[in-house]
Amino acid sequence: MNNTLYDKIWRDHCVTERADGTSLLYIDLQLLHEVTSPQAFDGLRLASRRPWRLSANLATPDHNVPTTGRAQGIDGISDLIAREQVTTLDANCRDFDIEQFDILDTRQGIVHVVGPEQGATLPGMTIVCGDSHTSTHGAFAALAQGIGTSEVEHVLATQTLAQRKARNFAVNVEGRLPDGVAPKDLVLAIIGVLGTAGATGHTIEFRGPAIEAMSMEGRMTVCNMAIEAGARAGLVAVDDTTLDYVRGRPFAPTGERWQQAEAYWRTLHSDPGAHFDSSITLDASTLVPQVSWGTSPEMVVGIDGTAPNPEQATTEQQAQGIRQALSYMGLAADQPITDIKLDRVFIGSCTNARIEDLRAAAAVARGRSVAANVKQAMVVPGSGLVKAQAEAEGLADVFKAAGFEWRDPGCSMCLAMNADRLQPGEHCAATSNRNFEGRQGHGGRTHLVSPAMAAAAAVTGHFTDVRGLV
Amino acid sequence: MKAFETFEGVVAPLDRANVDTDQIIPKQFLKSIRRTGFGDNLFDGWRYLDEGIPGQTLNERQINHDFVLNYPDYQDAKILLARDNFGCGSSREHAVWAMLEYGFRVVIAPSFADIFYNNSFKNGLLPIVVDAETVDALFARTPGLSLEVDLVNQTLTPHGGQPIAFDIDSHRREALLQGLDEIGETLAYAERIREFEQRHRQSMPWVFARDGRGYNTAG
């Protein structure tokens, strides 16, 4: 039987098929944060239920935590409603005896940075979290899915997720990424081709030489945005790069148990001839750095391109979508991307706040200064440990010398739940994952880019091809 | 969850594709630890001209009279008519809670994003997929369109018109009609989950490395 990677993980976690035809999928790990868990814990209380397996859960606050004054802990959260949410996570973890890296723990950070960093995320696992970017963990050949709060409660209570199997989608990436073109550029280009609903109902496997050549950080960036193409999960097969990353992490197995795990993990790839329901193939070697111009991640264009012209749309509905997006973004049809001036720059998020991302941005910022028209450029590391490492490597000093703000870890301006946000009409070069209307603040205009492109935009004040700067 | 019953309601048209959950309920309202209190902030960025902040009362807000849900024709709408990929983006179930609390019980669209679609059923909001042509035809009949939604017979019937059939997964339909507790249903399989878990622990012991934090043996 020729199975895809997804088929294999599904098979190895399928508990049973219910009478209604849905399967119960055993969940190995649930990550919890403050925003989507309180109503789930309340549900357990109301029904007098306890979590099925405590060790399957790991929690950390990330969406609502401030990125300044971390030493003050909870007291540093001036927004009382946000503070209640973070203290509620503390209380729930205490009441239900769930392991948490709390706001003062150096291991605290964005859940999708923390899981892999700790080795809590392991190859072949089934992972869920009440956050759509859970697809990130698929970089480890883990079937990782974002779920709603009712499902968070369901997994807490039953250690299973009830669902039907998705279809298989292969995204083949031939060639290798040119210098100055990042995994973020690749995934933006993929979404541009697939469209924001192109992989709905599917699990994407990213494969091919460009993916194989990528670091784990790069693969996480790519899988992170699978959801922006509509897929609940993205996957990459296990190879030496995967195992080298996992080995020695705090929660990773050691000794004989590692040997046993590795033998299984080495099987986590699609068999030759496995059937994919859909597929696309891209050539990485022809890619240029990407910038999103509109209000959906599919609205992307190369740095050498222009905003689209609605008159060239194929349908009236597309034309209307382009007109709405151009109007919201304050752009003219056919406007060159390099003409767009930035008010703020945000380097961070579960997409691009790992050490390699910060190194790429620092390489551009080194010896340069944030342009005068940029009111604020901030770097928000993905976790306390990423922050410490970046400081030890001297990256924090590079950023600070260039005029960037060096912040404490959290989701921050990716979704602007905390104090970090755009003002109406402001353009922001962001390394995050969504450019929806108002995502980074009421009336804010988000352009999605790679860390190096964000740094290039910060030091020149407008979008610039980073390949001319490094 | 309340059982879903047949009703007739006014249809409000939202003529945009890819409506994301950030639009359905903006993030500043996700700070709440409750399941209620989201209805006034449904589509906040479109319904109001000012920026919404948690805790405001409605008479403090500047209404955007150009937004379709604020038209007099749609004040009692219970059915939202939408375009492709409705509910994309964030997994926030608050989007579904906000839709229900505002008064919507049904969303009709040519396609939905997976997580939103799934979240809807968990709360008794019925997402109905019909083909794009039918959706176009329904848009053309607004304002003034009311539909009877009959989940038992899987039909949408315009007032005095011919019924339009729709497909739906039979289990999801039953769950809505009966208002089932899904966790309770799954726990009927607790023995099988436990058996699976034992085998899984033997074949993949590294998954259980953080054990020692205890089990719910009651299941």
Side-chain angles (χ1 to χ4, degrees):
Chain A
M1 190 56 190
N2 302 326
N3 289 308
T4 65
L5 171 55
Y6 172 56
D7 295 337
K8 291 180 184 182
I9 304 173
W10 178 276
R11 175 196 66 200
D12 291 346
H13 289 84
C14 190
V15 174
T16 188
E17 203 167 286
R18 298 195 306 193
D20 58 50
T22 54
S23 297
L24 290 180
L25 194 67
Y26 187 83
I27 300 302
D28 293 325
L29 173 67
Q30 171 151 243
L31 298 164
L32 298 155
H33 62 85
E34 76 277 26
V35 177
T36 56
S37 68
Q39 298 87 350
F41 282 113
D42 264 1
L44 289 185
R45 282 195 189 88
L46 282 169
S48 303
R49 289 175 175 138
R50 303 287 302 171
W52 179 281
R53 178 164 70 88
L54 294 173
S55 71
N57 300 285
L58 182 62
T60 194
D62 56 4
H63 284 63
N64 255 319
V65 296
T67 57
T68 53
R70 183 55 56 84
Q72 297 169 65
I74 294 288
D75 295 336
I77 311 179
S78 54
D79 177 340
L80 295 182
I81 311 175
R83 188 192 295 192
E84 184 187 23
Q85 202 165 50
V86 176
T87 57
T88 299
L89 181 65
D90 288 344
N92 283 329
C93 289
R94 209 169 39 237
D95 290 356
F96 288 97
D97 195 23
I98 282 170
E99 184 167 12
Q100 188 199 187
F101 301 153
D102 68 18
I103 190 169
L104 284 168
D105 195 308
T106 52
R107 297 168 297 179
Q108 177 272 343
I110 306 172
V111 279
H112 309 311
V113 175
V114 169
E117 187 173 78
Q118 291 297 317
T121 298
L122 293 173
M125 275 185 163
T126 45
I127 299 175
V128 295
C129 176
D131 186 281
S132 60
H133 292 110
T134 308
S135 57
T136 309
H137 309 261
F140 294 82
L143 178 58
Q145 307 179 71
I147 57 177
T149 296
S150 293
E151 288 179 321
V152 170
E153 184 183 339
H154 189 277
V155 174
L156 280 169
T158 72
Q159 214 51 54
T160 64
L161 192 61
Q163 63 179 198
R164 286 177 193 274
K165 191 163 178 251
R167 292 184 292 276
N168 283 287
F169 200 126
V171 173
N172 304 300
V173 191
E174 304 293 342
R176 61 182 286 271
L177 288 172
D179 290 342
V181 181
K184 177 66 163 290
D185 298 309
L186 172 62
V187 72
L188 286 172
I190 291 170
I191 296 160
V193 172
L194 280 180
T196 181
T200 300
H202 293 76
T203 294
I204 297 178
E205 183 178 335
F206 297 98
R207 23 196 290 135
I211 303 293
E212 288 159 23
M214 225 175 249
S215 68
M216 288 313 294
E217 283 88 346
R219 293 177 191 179
M220 283 189 256
T221 299
V222 171
C223 287
N224 172 274
M225 293 191 70
I227 183 68
E228 310 313 335
R232 262 175 111 162
L235 289 169
V236 175
V238 168
D239 61 9
D240 288 339
T241 306
T242 323
L243 299 179
D244 290 345
Y245 182 99
V246 172
R247 196 178 288 111
R249 302 266 160 193
F251 294 142
T254 54
E256 202 176 308
R257 194 164 274 187
W258 172 274
Q259 305 297 332
Q260 189 189 357
E262 181 177 338
Y264 172 68
W265 292 342
R266 293 270 182 201
T267 69
L268 295 174
H269 52 78
S270 291
D271 295 328
H275 173 73
F276 287 91
D277 302 279
S278 310
S279 65
I280 59 162
T281 299
L282 282 84
D283 181 0
S285 60
T286 61
L287 279 181
V288 300
Q290 304 284 305
V291 178
S292 75
W293 60 267
T295 53
S296 165
E298 70 182 19
M299 295 172 163
V300 290
V301 63
I303 181 67
D304 51 356
T306 57
N309 191 323
E311 299 195 354
Q312 277 152 24
T314 44
T315 68
E316 176 46 35
Q317 223 192 324
Q318 269 174 12
Q320 188 193 336
I322 291 172
R323 276 192 294 268
Q324 275 166 348
L326 287 174
S327 159
Y328 180 85
M329 295 297 289
L331 298 177
D334 301 321
Q335 182 175 343
I337 293 301
T338 49
D339 279 4
I340 301 172
K341 289 196 165 51
L342 284 316
D343 301 290
R344 293 182 203 263
V345 173
F346 168 62
I347 297 173
S349 89
C350 58
T351 316
N352 280 129
R354 298 180 184 83
I355 191 68
E356 189 176 275
D357 301 316
L358 303 191
R359 286 180 192 142
V364 177
R366 189 180 301 276
R368 296 190 171 98
S369 299
V370 171
N373 61 296
V374 175
K375 297 172 204 163
Q376 181 185 41
M378 57 196 283
V379 184
V380 185
S383 71
L385 294 177
V386 169
K387 185 180 190 204
Q389 187 177 351
E391 287 171 352
E393 291 184 12
L395 306 181
D397 292 333
V398 170
F399 286 123
K400 285 189 268 190
F404 287 81
E405 296 174 22
W406 179 244
R407 296 295 190 96
D408 295 314
C411 299
S412 181
M413 208 198 272
C414 171
L415 84 168
M417 273 190 81
N418 68 358
D420 310 332
R421 66 185 72 153
L422 301 181
Q423 295 302 308
E426 288 183 340
H427 287 269
C428 179
T431 65
S432 46
N433 40 54
R434 289 194 173 126
N435 51 350
F436 298 152
E437 286 185 21
R439 170 82 177 179
Q440 292 193 283
H442 185 71
R445 294 161 170 168
T446 302
H447 301 275
L448 305 175
V449 287
S450 75
M453 281 290 285
V459 299
T460 60
H462 57 90
F463 283 117
T464 305
D465 192 335
V466 69
R467 293 174 300 176
L469 291 183
V470 286
Chain B
M1 192 172 79
K2 252 173 45 188
F4 191 98
E5 289 168 7
T6 299
F7 74 98
E8 184 177 326
V10 171
V11 178
L14 183 60
D15 195 4
R16 295 176 76 121
N18 302 320
V19 170
D20 60 77
T21 53
D22 272 81
Q23 303 316 318
I24 299 174
I25 184 78
K27 71 276 177 168
Q28 62 268 37
F29 305 107
L30 308 190
K31 292 173 189 170
S32 166
I33 59 170
R34 282 163 278 278
R35 271 176 190 265
T36 53
F38 302 105
D40 286 347
N41 304 107
L42 178 77
F43 297 120
D44 197 276
W46 291 337
R47 262 167 83 196
Y48 307 103
L49 296 169
D50 56 330
E51 180 179 2
I53 31 179
Q56 287 164 309
T57 60
L58 272 182
N59 45 17
E60 292 174 77
R61 306 298 306 274
Q62 296 167 36
I63 307 293
N64 176 10
H65 294 288
D66 291 335
F67 181 57
V68 66
L69 291 188
N70 290 328
Y71 296 177
D73 287 330
Y74 303 120
Q75 287 316 293
D76 285 324
K78 290 196 165 43
I79 301 168
L80 187 70
L81 181 62
R83 295 289 186 185
D84 268 312
N85 200 29
F86 187 84
C88 62
S90 152
S91 63
R92 59 187 71 165
E93 200 159 314
H94 313 64
V96 173
W97 301 335
M99 293 279 292
L100 283 165
E101 198 172 327
Y102 178 88
F104 286 122
R105 296 172 59 193
V106 170
V107 188
I108 302 171
S111 63
F112 290 87
D114 278 344
I115 302 178
F116 178 87
Y117 187 75
N118 218 31
N119 286 344
S120 297
F121 286 101
K122 313 282 181 194
N123 295 278
L125 179 71
L126 173 60
I128 296 178
V129 178
V130 294
D131 63 76
E133 270 175 37
T134 307
V135 167
D136 280 342
L138 292 173
F139 266 100
R141 295 181 62 169
T142 59
L145 176 64
S146 286
L147 289 172
E148 184 192 72
V149 182
D150 180 345
L151 183 55
V152 177
N153 294 305
Q154 298 178 212
T155 53
L156 298 170
T157 311
H159 206 72
Q162 287 299 308
I164 301 161
F166 63 87
D167 279 333
I168 190 166
D169 176 279
S170 61
H171 169 69
R172 291 191 190 271
R173 175 170 159 271
E174 284 314 301
L176 275 188
L177 288 172
Q178 295 175 39
L180 290 179
D181 164 23
E182 195 177 19
I183 294 177
E185 269 190 282
T186 298
L187 286 175
Y189 296 89
E191 199 48 46
R192 280 197 215 174
I193 299 171
R194 259 192 294 273
E195 284 165 15
F196 175 89
E197 195 168 52
Q198 267 179 7
R199 289 196 306 275
H200 196 47
R201 172 188 295 280
Q202 293 194 334
S203 57
M204 299 186 200
W206 57 88
V207 166
F208 299 82
R210 292 166 59 233
D211 265 9
R213 297 192 67 80
Y215 269 81
N216 166 23
T217 46

